[in-house]
């Protein structure tokens, strides 16, 4: 703080903040609540104040992988997962169809649509025949 005029507290505060973010600061403490020598609650506090660059330099980058904080990357990840699941679903349906053809119709239907199609009786062809006429009396 030496070198600054006495009335420039905002400049010195900015300088202190810049130094803290550049170097980083760790605040550690414990809070214990006891009642008659019985520990009821213990809270361990560990606070790190640093710039993003300094935190990455120290190997701390949890905010880049937290879905609630990085919506763009999580949306892309969800879309990729949905594409992978759709491809897997299609592959499994093809495999199931191949197994059905191999085993005959012994396998049960896998979708409600297939179940409905299997439950419907096959339509028999309609054959119309001419009615025999009775001779008049």
């Amino acid at each position: 703080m030496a070198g600054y005029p006495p009335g420039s507290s905002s400049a010195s505060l900015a300088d202190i903040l810049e130094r803290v973010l550049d170097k980083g600061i760790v605040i550690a403490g414990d809070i214990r609540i006891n009642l008659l020598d019985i520990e009821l609650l213990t809270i361990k506090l560990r606070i790190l104040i640093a710039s993003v660059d300094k935190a990455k330099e120290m190997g701390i980058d949890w905010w880049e992988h937290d879905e609630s904080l990085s919506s763009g990357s999580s949306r892309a990840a969800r879309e990729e997962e949905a594409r992978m699941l759709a491809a897997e679903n299609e592959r499994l349906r093809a495999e199931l169809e191949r197994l059905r053809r191999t085993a005959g119709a012994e396998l049960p239907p896998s979708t409600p649509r297939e179940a409905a199609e299997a439950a419907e009786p096959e339509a028999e062809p309609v054959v119309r025949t001419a009615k025999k006429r009775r001779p008049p009396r």
Side-chain angles (χ1 to χ4, degrees):
M1 292 207 203
Y4 288 106
S8 63
S9 63
S10 63
S12 63
L13 181 61
D15 186 45
I16 291 170
L17 184 60
E18 182 180 339
R19 286 184 186 196
V20 165
L21 292 177
D22 185 46
K23 302 288 184 188
I25 187 171
V26 175
I27 301 170
D30 296 337
I31 299 173
R32 291 188 182 147
I33 299 174
N34 294 334
L35 180 64
L36 301 174
D37 292 331
I38 299 173
E39 188 173 315
L40 298 176
L41 178 67
T42 299
I43 299 173
K44 295 186 178 224
L45 296 173
R46 306 295 182 259
I47 299 171
L48 169 68
I49 300 173
S51 66
V52 172
D53 294 332
K54 186 65 176 178
K56 284 184 179 180
E57 186 179 307
M58 294 186 300
I60 302 170
D61 62 351
W62 53 264
W63 60 87
E64 291 181 349
H65 309 290
D66 191 339
E67 290 184 14
S68 63
L69 296 176
S70 58
S71 61
S73 64
S74 65
R75 186 176 344 153
R78 284 193 303 264
E79 289 173 358
E80 178 63 25
E81 185 178 359
R83 281 193 294 273
M84 289 173 45
L85 288 173
E88 178 73 4
N89 193 6
E90 189 62 34
R91 187 189 68 74
L92 290 172
R93 286 181 188 272
E95 179 70 13
L96 182 61
E97 184 59 34
R98 185 187 67 76
L99 289 172
R100 280 198 182 125
R101 282 193 305 266
T102 304
E106 297 173 10
L107 295 175
S110 62
T111 64
R113 183 181 201 181
E114 291 175 355
E117 289 173 358
E120 292 177 4
E122 292 186 22
E124 295 181 16
V126 177
V127 179
R128 294 188 179 176
T129 58
K131 291 186 179 179
K132 294 183 181 177
R133 291 189 178 188
R134 291 187 193 177
R137 292 186 191 189

